[in-house]
Amino acid sequence: MSNIGNVFVGNCENVTLRNITVKNNSQKGLYVFISNNIISENITATDNRNGIHIERSYKKAIEESNVAGNTKHGILIDTSNSNELNSVNVSANSDQGILLKNSINGFQVVIRSDQGFLSIRWRRSEERRVGKEGRSRWAPDD
C-alpha cells in the first residue's frame, strides 16, 4: 500500500503496517492511539504536520522508515512506553525531528540523520540517556 492520505490505528493489538507512504496531511500521517504491539516497517511520512504520532500506546516499533519534511514534528511520541525506533531516517522536519512527551522508560532509538545532527526533545519524560552515533538508549540496560 503506498501513496495514501493517512493511516489511523486505534484500540488495536498485534498489527504490522508495512510499505506505506503517507503524505500531504494537515495533521498526522500515521497515527497510533491506545494500541499495543504495533510494528511499522518501511513507512515513508512526508509533508504532513506530524509524520508519525504515537499516543497512549505500548510496545510500538518503527523500523526502516523515512520521516522527512513534515511541518511540525517528524515523530511525536506522547504518553507511551516501551517504544523503539530502529534504522529510521529523520530529517528536515520544521520543529523537532523526534519529540518524546510524557513518556517513561523502555525507549530505544537507532537513528540515521543525513543532516549530521539529531533533533530530539524530551518534555516531562524520564530515563533519558543519549549515546553518540548509532545506538542511543533511554532505559536501564537489560
Side-chain angles (χ1 to χ4, degrees), residues 81-123:
N81 298 321
S82 297
N83 294 283
E84 294 185 11
L85 305 179
N86 296 304
S87 298
V88 177
N89 180 36
V90 179
S91 62
N93 297 287
S94 297
D95 198 342
Q96 304 299 321
I98 300 170
L99 175 58
L100 180 61
K101 180 178 169 186
N102 300 318
S103 296
I104 59 172
N105 67 38
F107 186 78
Q108 175 178 315
V109 179
V110 181
I111 305 170
R112 293 189 306 263
S113 175
D114 295 335
Q115 296 172 316
F117 66 90
L118 301 178
S119 172
I120 303 174
R121 182 175 180 189
W122 299 274
R123 189 178 297 157

